[in-house]
Amino acid sequence: MKKLILLCIALSVFVNLGFSASKNAKKKDFTPTENNVRLLSRTITSNKTAVMAHGATGVEFNVSAKKLSVTLIKDSWHRDVRIVAFLNDERIFDEILKEDSKEYVLFDSVEVKTGVVRIVKATEAMMANAGIKKLTTDGEGNITPTAAKKLKIEFLGDSATAAYGVDETNPSVSYRLETQDITKSYAYKVARELDADYSIICGSGWGAYSGWTDGPRKKDTTIPDIYDKVGFGDVMVANVMPGGKKWDFNRFKPDIITILLGANDQSYTKGDPKKCKEFQDGYLKFLYDLRAKNPDAYILCCSGLAPDELKGQIQAALADYKSQTGDNKVDYLYIPLNNGDRDGWGADYHPTDKAYTNAAKVMLPKIKEFLK
C-alpha cells in the first residue's frame, strides 16, 4: 500500500511540475518593425507599432516556432476591425478586434511550425485603422523579415476593389464589418498569382473626380485627393495620423498601376455632358500626377466590374493623355460587369469571391503583356 501511495505522489509531483513548466515557459517578444518583419503596402511604424490604414496593410515574416501570438490595437476612434492571418497562404486566423487591445494566439503546436506568416487588415481605411503592437513566440521561436518580391503592383479603386460585402450572400443587405475582406478582392488575387508585392489604395464610395454623392461634387473622397497620403481621415494609431502623413514614394515603386474608378463618379455626372467632361479632364489630370510620382510604371486604366457609364470618358482621357505626351506605357482594359446569376451577389449587389476570381482572370493576361 505504501508503494502505491508513494507512486501516486510521485506521479502527482511529475504532472504538476510539467504543467508548471509549461505554464511558466519562456517566451520571446518581437516588435513589428523592419528588423523583424516586412511591412506590406503602405504600412508604417510608430512607437514600435505597425500601423495599418488601408486594406491589406500589415506585416509578413518567416517564422520558426511552436507558438505564435499577435497583440493588436484599435484606432483612436475605438472602431472594431477585421484582421486575418495566413501561414504559407493558408488562413489560420480571422477575427473582429472588439477590445482596444488584445493578444491572439495564431497557433500553438507540439511541433515546430515553419513558413511565411502574413497578418493583414481586411477592413478598408475609411471603416477602421489598426496596429500590430507585438509578436510573441515560445522561448525557442524566431521570426525574420521575408525578402521583397521582384514585381510590384499598385491597385487604385473603390468598393469593387475594397471587396465591400464580399462575404455577404444577401444583396439587399448593406455594409457589415464581418463581410468585408480585401484578401478576396481581384487586386489581392492578382498579386498573389503573380507573386508580386502590392499596394492597394481604395475606398467604398470613392471616385477619380467625385465620391458618391446625392448632389454637389465630393472631392474629399477621391483617390487623387489622398494618393500622396499614408491613409485617410484624422484618426490616430500609435500616436500617428496616417491620413495626415505624406507617403514616401521611394518606399514602393510599382512596376504596374491599375485604376478601376468611375462607378461613384457617375452619381455626380448623371449623364450631364458638362459634368462628364469635368470627370474626363479630372481623370486626365490624375494620369499626369500618377506619371509624375511613378515615372517608370505601366499604367492600366480599367472600367467595368461595377457600373461603367463613364467608360467612354475614361478611354477619351487616356487617348488625350497619350496624344499629349507620347507615353506608350499606358493602356485600357474593360472588365465585364459582375454576372450575379452566375457568380452571385455580395452586399448591395457588389461582387462575390467568385466574381473577383473571374475579374482577376481578365486582368492577368493584360498585366502579363506589360511584363514581356
Side-chain angles (χ1 to χ4, degrees), residues 40-99:
L40 302 176
S41 186
R42 293 194 178 185
T43 307
I44 61 171
T45 58
S46 176
N47 286 354
K48 298 182 180 180
T49 299
V51 176
M52 302 178 290
H54 283 291
T57 47
V59 301
E60 184 181 272
F61 52 91
N62 300 303
V63 67
S64 175
K66 292 181 179 179
K67 184 176 182 179
L68 174 67
S69 64
V70 59
T71 301
L72 302 170
I73 62 171
K74 283 186 175 182
D75 62 33
S76 60
W77 291 356
H78 310 283
R79 294 177 294 181
D80 292 356
V81 60
R82 186 177 180 182
I83 307 291
V84 297
F86 303 85
L87 173 61
N88 298 328
D89 285 327
E90 179 182 346
R91 187 176 296 233
I92 59 171
F93 178 81
D94 188 340
E95 291 287 340
I96 305 294
L97 175 63
K98 295 183 178 295
E99 293 89 347

Coordinates of all heavy atoms in Angstrom, one line a residue, residues 40-99:
L40 N 4.0 45.6 -45.4 CA 3.2 45.4 -46.6 C 2.5 46.7 -47.0 O 1.9 47.4 -46.2 CB 2.2 44.3 -46.5 CG 2.8 42.9 -46.1 CD1 1.7 41.9 -45.9 CD2 3.8 42.4 -47.2
S41 N 2.5 47.0 -48.3 CA 1.7 48.1 -48.9 C 2.2 49.4 -48.2 O 3.3 49.6 -48.0 CB 0.2 47.8 -48.7 OG -0.5 48.8 -49.4
R42 N 1.2 50.2 -47.7 CA 1.6 51.5 -47.1 C 1.6 51.4 -45.5 O 1.3 52.3 -44.8 CB 0.7 52.6 -47.5 CG 0.9 52.9 -49.0 CD 0.2 54.2 -49.4 NE 0.5 54.5 -50.8 CZ 0.1 55.7 -51.4 NH1 -0.5 56.6 -50.8 NH2 0.4 55.8 -52.7
T43 N 2.0 50.2 -45.0 CA 2.1 50.1 -43.6 C 3.3 50.9 -43.1 O 4.4 50.9 -43.8 CB 2.4 48.6 -43.2 OG1 1.4 47.8 -43.8 CG2 2.4 48.4 -41.7
I44 N 3.2 51.6 -42.0 CA 4.3 52.4 -41.5 C 4.5 52.0 -40.0 O 3.6 51.2 -39.5 CB 4.1 53.9 -41.5 CG1 2.8 54.3 -40.8 CG2 4.0 54.3 -43.0 CD1 2.6 55.8 -40.6
T45 N 5.5 52.4 -39.3 CA 5.7 52.1 -37.9 C 5.7 53.4 -37.1 O 6.2 54.5 -37.6 CB 7.0 51.4 -37.7 OG1 8.1 52.2 -38.2 CG2 7.0 50.0 -38.3
S46 N 5.2 53.3 -35.9 CA 5.1 54.4 -35.0 C 5.1 53.9 -33.6 O 4.3 52.9 -33.3 CB 3.9 55.3 -35.2 OG 3.8 56.4 -34.2
N47 N 6.0 54.3 -32.7 CA 6.1 53.8 -31.3 C 6.2 52.3 -31.3 O 5.6 51.6 -30.6 CB 4.9 54.2 -30.5 CG 4.9 55.7 -30.1 OD1 5.9 56.4 -30.3 ND2 3.8 56.2 -29.5
K48 N 7.1 51.8 -32.2 CA 7.3 50.3 -32.4 C 6.1 49.5 -32.7 O 6.0 48.4 -32.3 CB 8.0 49.8 -31.1 CG 9.4 50.5 -30.8 CD 10.0 49.9 -29.6 CE 11.4 50.5 -29.3 NZ 12.0 50.0 -28.1
T49 N 5.1 50.2 -33.3 CA 3.8 49.5 -33.7 C 3.7 49.6 -35.2 O 4.0 50.7 -35.8 CB 2.7 50.3 -33.1 OG1 2.8 50.2 -31.7 CG2 1.3 49.6 -33.5
A50 N 3.3 48.5 -35.9 CA 3.0 48.5 -37.3 C 1.6 49.1 -37.5 O 0.6 48.5 -37.0 CB 3.1 47.1 -37.9
V51 N 1.5 50.2 -38.1 CA 0.2 51.0 -38.3 C -0.4 50.6 -39.6 O 0.2 50.8 -40.7 CB 0.5 52.5 -38.2 CG1 -0.8 53.2 -38.4 CG2 1.1 52.8 -36.8
M52 N -1.6 50.1 -39.6 CA -2.4 49.7 -40.7 C -3.5 50.6 -41.0 O -4.5 50.6 -40.2 CB -2.9 48.2 -40.5 CG -1.8 47.2 -40.2 SD -2.4 45.5 -39.9 CE -3.2 45.8 -38.3
A53 N -3.5 51.3 -42.1 CA -4.5 52.2 -42.5 C -5.4 51.6 -43.6 O -6.5 51.2 -43.4 CB -4.0 53.6 -42.9
H54 N -4.8 51.5 -44.8 CA -5.5 50.9 -45.9 C -5.7 49.4 -45.8 O -5.0 48.8 -45.0 CB -4.8 51.2 -47.2 CG -5.0 52.6 -47.7 ND1 -6.2 53.1 -48.2 CD2 -4.1 53.7 -47.8 CE1 -6.0 54.4 -48.5 NE2 -4.8 54.7 -48.3
G55 N -6.7 48.9 -46.5 CA -6.9 47.5 -46.5 C -5.7 46.7 -47.1 O -5.0 47.2 -47.9
A56 N -5.5 45.6 -46.5 CA -4.4 44.7 -46.9 C -3.0 45.2 -46.5 O -2.0 44.6 -46.8 CB -4.3 44.4 -48.4
T57 N -3.0 46.3 -45.7 CA -1.7 46.6 -45.0 C -1.5 45.6 -43.9 O -2.4 45.0 -43.4 CB -1.8 48.1 -44.4 OG1 -3.0 48.3 -43.7 CG2 -1.7 49.1 -45.5
G58 N -0.2 45.5 -43.5 CA 0.1 44.5 -42.4 C 1.6 44.2 -42.5 O 2.4 44.9 -43.0
V59 N 1.9 43.0 -42.1 CA 3.3 42.5 -42.0 C 3.4 41.1 -42.5 O 2.4 40.3 -42.5 CB 3.9 42.6 -40.6 CG1 3.8 44.0 -40.0 CG2 3.1 41.6 -39.6
E60 N 4.6 40.8 -42.9 CA 4.9 39.4 -43.4 C 6.3 39.0 -42.8 O 7.2 39.9 -42.8 CB 4.9 39.4 -44.9 CG 5.2 38.0 -45.5 CD 5.2 37.9 -47.0 OE1 4.1 37.8 -47.6 OE2 6.3 38.1 -47.6
F61 N 6.5 37.8 -42.4 CA 7.7 37.4 -41.8 C 7.9 35.8 -41.9 O 6.9 35.1 -42.0 CB 7.9 37.8 -40.4 CG 6.7 37.4 -39.5 CD1 6.7 36.3 -38.8 CD2 5.6 38.3 -39.4 CE1 5.6 35.9 -38.0 CE2 4.5 38.0 -38.6 CZ 4.5 36.8 -37.9
N62 N 9.1 35.4 -41.9 CA 9.4 34.0 -41.7 C 9.3 33.6 -40.2 O 9.7 34.4 -39.4 CB 10.8 33.7 -42.2 CG 11.1 34.0 -43.6 OD1 10.4 33.6 -44.5 ND2 12.0 34.9 -43.9
V63 N 8.7 32.4 -40.0 CA 8.6 32.0 -38.6 C 9.1 30.6 -38.4 O 9.0 29.8 -39.3 CB 7.1 32.1 -38.1 CG1 6.3 31.1 -38.9 CG2 7.0 31.9 -36.6
S64 N 9.7 30.4 -37.2 CA 10.0 29.0 -36.8 C 9.7 29.0 -35.3 O 10.4 29.6 -34.5 CB 11.5 28.7 -37.0 OG 11.8 27.4 -36.5
A65 N 8.6 28.3 -35.0 CA 8.1 28.4 -33.6 C 7.1 27.4 -33.3 O 6.4 26.9 -34.3 CB 7.6 29.8 -33.2
K66 N 6.9 27.0 -32.1 CA 5.8 26.2 -31.7 C 4.5 27.0 -31.4 O 3.4 26.5 -31.5 CB 6.2 25.3 -30.4 CG 7.3 24.3 -30.7 CD 7.5 23.5 -29.4 CE 8.6 22.4 -29.7 NZ 8.9 21.7 -28.4
K67 N 4.8 28.2 -30.9 CA 3.6 29.1 -30.6 C 3.9 30.5 -31.1 O 5.0 31.0 -31.1 CB 3.4 29.1 -29.1 CG 2.2 29.9 -28.6 CD 2.0 29.8 -27.1 CE 0.7 30.6 -26.7 NZ 0.5 30.5 -25.2
L68 N 2.8 31.1 -31.7 CA 2.9 32.4 -32.2 C 1.7 33.2 -31.8 O 0.6 32.7 -32.0 CB 3.1 32.4 -33.7 CG 3.1 33.8 -34.4 CD1 4.3 34.6 -34.0 CD2 3.0 33.6 -35.9
S69 N 1.8 34.4 -31.3 CA 0.7 35.2 -31.0 C 0.9 36.6 -31.4 O 2.1 37.0 -31.7 CB 0.3 35.2 -29.5 OG 1.4 35.8 -28.7
V70 N -0.1 37.4 -31.6 CA 0.0 38.8 -32.1 C -0.9 39.6 -31.1 O -2.0 39.3 -30.7 CB -0.5 38.9 -33.5 CG1 -1.9 38.5 -33.7 CG2 -0.3 40.4 -34.0
T71 N -0.4 40.8 -30.8 CA -1.1 41.8 -30.0 C -1.6 42.9 -30.9 O -0.7 43.6 -31.6 CB -0.3 42.3 -28.8 OG1 0.2 41.3 -28.0 CG2 -1.1 43.3 -28.0
L72 N -2.9 43.1 -31.0 CA -3.5 44.1 -31.9 C -4.1 45.2 -31.1 O -4.5 45.1 -30.0 CB -4.6 43.4 -32.7 CG -4.2 42.2 -33.6 CD1 -5.4 41.6 -34.2 CD2 -3.2 42.7 -34.7
I73 N -4.1 46.4 -31.7 CA -4.7 47.6 -31.1 C -5.6 48.3 -32.0 O -5.4 48.2 -33.3 CB -3.7 48.6 -30.5 CG1 -2.8 49.2 -31.7 CG2 -2.8 48.0 -29.5 CD1 -1.9 50.3 -31.2
K74 N -6.7 48.9 -31.5 CA -7.6 49.7 -32.3 C -7.1 51.1 -32.6 O -6.1 51.5 -32.0 CB -9.0 49.8 -31.6 CG -9.8 48.6 -31.6 CD -11.2 48.9 -31.0 CE -12.2 47.7 -31.0 NZ -13.5 48.1 -30.5
D75 N -7.8 51.8 -33.5 CA -7.5 53.2 -33.7 C -8.1 54.1 -32.6 O -8.8 53.6 -31.7 CB -7.9 53.6 -35.1 CG -9.5 53.5 -35.3 OD1 -10.2 53.7 -34.4 OD2 -9.9 53.3 -36.5
S76 N -7.8 55.4 -32.7 CA -8.3 56.3 -31.6 C -9.8 56.5 -31.6 O -10.3 57.1 -30.6 CB -7.6 57.6 -31.8 OG -7.9 58.2 -33.0
W77 N -10.5 56.1 -32.6 CA -11.9 56.2 -32.6 C -12.5 54.9 -32.0 O -13.8 54.7 -32.0 CB -12.5 56.5 -34.0 CG -12.1 57.8 -34.5 CD1 -11.5 58.8 -33.8 CD2 -12.4 58.3 -35.8 NE1 -11.4 59.9 -34.6 CE2 -11.9 59.7 -35.8 CE3 -13.0 57.8 -36.9 CZ2 -12.0 60.5 -36.9 CZ3 -13.1 58.7 -38.0 CH2 -12.6 60.0 -38.0
H78 N -11.7 53.9 -31.6 CA -12.1 52.7 -31.0 C -13.1 51.9 -31.9 O -14.0 51.2 -31.4 CB -12.8 53.0 -29.6 CG -12.1 53.9 -28.7 ND1 -11.0 53.5 -28.0 CD2 -12.2 55.2 -28.5 CE1 -10.5 54.5 -27.3 NE2 -11.2 55.6 -27.6
R79 N -12.8 51.9 -33.2 CA -13.6 51.1 -34.1 C -13.2 49.7 -34.2 O -12.0 49.3 -34.2 CB -13.6 51.8 -35.5 CG -14.2 53.2 -35.5 CD -14.0 53.8 -36.9 NE -12.7 54.1 -37.2 CZ -12.3 54.7 -38.4 NH1 -13.2 55.0 -39.3 NH2 -11.0 54.9 -38.6
D80 N -14.2 48.8 -34.2 CA -13.9 47.4 -34.5 C -13.3 47.2 -35.9 O -13.5 48.0 -36.8 CB -15.2 46.5 -34.4 CG -15.8 46.5 -33.1 OD1 -15.2 47.0 -32.1 OD2 -16.9 45.9 -32.9
V81 N -12.4 46.2 -36.0 CA -11.7 46.0 -37.3 C -11.5 44.5 -37.5 O -11.3 43.7 -36.5 CB -10.4 46.8 -37.2 CG1 -9.5 46.3 -36.1 CG2 -9.6 46.7 -38.5
R82 N -11.5 44.1 -38.7 CA -11.3 42.7 -39.1 C -9.9 42.4 -39.5 O -9.3 43.1 -40.4 CB -12.2 42.2 -40.2 CG -12.2 40.8 -40.5 CD -13.2 40.4 -41.6 NE -13.2 39.0 -42.0 CZ -13.9 38.4 -42.9 NH1 -14.7 39.2 -43.7 NH2 -13.8 37.1 -43.2
I83 N -9.2 41.5 -38.8 CA -7.8 41.1 -39.1 C -7.8 39.6 -39.5 O -8.4 38.8 -38.9 CB -6.9 41.4 -37.9 CG1 -7.1 42.8 -37.3 CG2 -5.5 41.1 -38.2 CD1 -6.6 43.9 -38.2
V84 N -7.0 39.3 -40.5 CA -6.8 38.0 -41.0 C -5.3 37.6 -41.0 O -4.5 38.5 -41.2 CB -7.5 37.7 -42.3 CG1 -9.0 37.9 -42.3 CG2 -6.9 38.6 -43.4
A85 N -5.0 36.4 -40.9 CA -3.6 35.9 -40.9 C -3.5 34.6 -41.7 O -4.4 33.8 -41.7 CB -3.0 35.8 -39.5
F86 N -2.3 34.5 -42.4 CA -2.1 33.3 -43.2 C -0.7 32.7 -42.8 O 0.2 33.4 -42.5 CB -2.1 33.6 -44.7 CG -3.3 34.3 -45.2 CD1 -3.5 35.6 -45.0 CD2 -4.3 33.5 -45.7 CE1 -4.7 36.3 -45.5 CE2 -5.5 34.1 -46.2 CZ -5.7 35.5 -46.1
L87 N -0.6 31.4 -42.8 CA 0.6 30.6 -42.7 C 0.8 29.8 -44.0 O 0.0 29.0 -44.3 CB 0.6 29.7 -41.5 CG 1.8 28.8 -41.3 CD1 3.1 29.6 -41.2 CD2 1.7 27.8 -40.2
N88 N 1.8 30.2 -44.7 CA 2.1 29.5 -46.0 C 0.8 29.6 -46.9 O 0.4 28.6 -47.5 CB 2.5 28.1 -45.8 CG 3.9 28.0 -45.1 OD1 4.7 28.9 -45.2 ND2 4.1 27.0 -44.3
D89 N 0.2 30.7 -46.9 CA -1.0 31.0 -47.7 C -2.3 30.3 -47.3 O -3.3 30.4 -47.9 CB -0.8 30.7 -49.2 CG 0.1 31.8 -49.9 OD1 0.0 33.0 -49.5 OD2 0.9 31.5 -50.8
E90 N -2.2 29.6 -46.1 CA -3.4 29.0 -45.6 C -3.9 29.9 -44.4 O -3.2 30.3 -43.5 CB -3.1 27.6 -45.0 CG -4.3 26.9 -44.4 CD -4.0 25.6 -43.8 OE1 -2.9 25.0 -44.1 OE2 -4.8 25.1 -43.0
R91 N -5.2 30.3 -44.5 CA -5.8 31.2 -43.5 C -5.8 30.4 -42.1 O -6.4 29.4 -42.0 CB -7.2 31.6 -43.9 CG -7.8 32.6 -43.0 CD -9.2 33.0 -43.5 NE -9.1 33.7 -44.8 CZ -9.6 34.9 -45.1 NH1 -10.3 35.6 -44.2 NH2 -9.5 35.3 -46.3
I92 N -5.2 31.1 -41.1 CA -5.2 30.5 -39.8 C -5.8 31.4 -38.8 O -6.0 30.9 -37.6 CB -3.7 30.2 -39.4 CG1 -2.9 31.5 -39.4 CG2 -3.1 29.1 -40.2 CD1 -1.5 31.4 -38.7
F93 N -6.2 32.6 -39.2 CA -6.8 33.5 -38.2 C -7.7 34.4 -38.9 O -7.4 35.0 -40.0 CB -5.7 34.3 -37.5 CG -6.1 35.3 -36.5 CD1 -6.5 35.0 -35.3 CD2 -6.2 36.7 -36.9 CE1 -6.9 35.9 -34.3 CE2 -6.6 37.6 -36.0 CZ -7.0 37.3 -34.7
D94 N -8.9 34.7 -38.3 CA -9.9 35.6 -38.9 C -10.8 36.1 -37.8 O -11.7 35.4 -37.3 CB -10.7 34.9 -40.0 CG -11.6 35.8 -40.8 OD1 -11.9 36.9 -40.3 OD2 -12.0 35.5 -41.9
E95 N -10.5 37.3 -37.3 CA -11.2 37.8 -36.1 C -11.6 39.2 -36.2 O -10.9 40.0 -36.9 CB -10.3 37.6 -34.8 CG -10.1 36.2 -34.4 CD -11.3 35.5 -33.8 OE1 -12.2 36.2 -33.4 OE2 -11.4 34.3 -33.8
I96 N -12.6 39.6 -35.5 CA -13.0 41.0 -35.4 C -12.4 41.5 -34.0 O -12.8 41.0 -33.0 CB -14.5 41.2 -35.4 CG1 -15.2 40.6 -36.6 CG2 -14.9 42.7 -35.2 CD1 -14.8 41.3 -37.9
L97 N -11.5 42.5 -34.1 CA -11.0 43.0 -32.9 C -12.0 44.0 -32.2 O -12.4 45.0 -32.8 CB -9.7 43.8 -33.2 CG -9.0 44.6 -32.0 CD1 -8.6 43.6 -30.9 CD2 -7.9 45.4 -32.5
K98 N -12.5 43.6 -31.1 CA -13.5 44.4 -30.4 C -13.0 45.2 -29.2 O -13.6 46.2 -28.8 CB -14.7 43.5 -30.0 CG -15.4 42.9 -31.1 CD -16.6 42.1 -30.7 CE -17.4 41.5 -31.9 NZ -18.0 42.5 -32.7
E99 N -11.9 44.7 -28.6 CA -11.3 45.4 -27.5 C -10.3 46.4 -28.0 O -9.8 46.3 -29.2 CB -10.6 44.4 -26.5 CG -11.5 43.5 -25.8 CD -11.8 42.2 -26.6 OE1 -11.4 42.1 -27.8 OE2 -12.3 41.2 -25.9

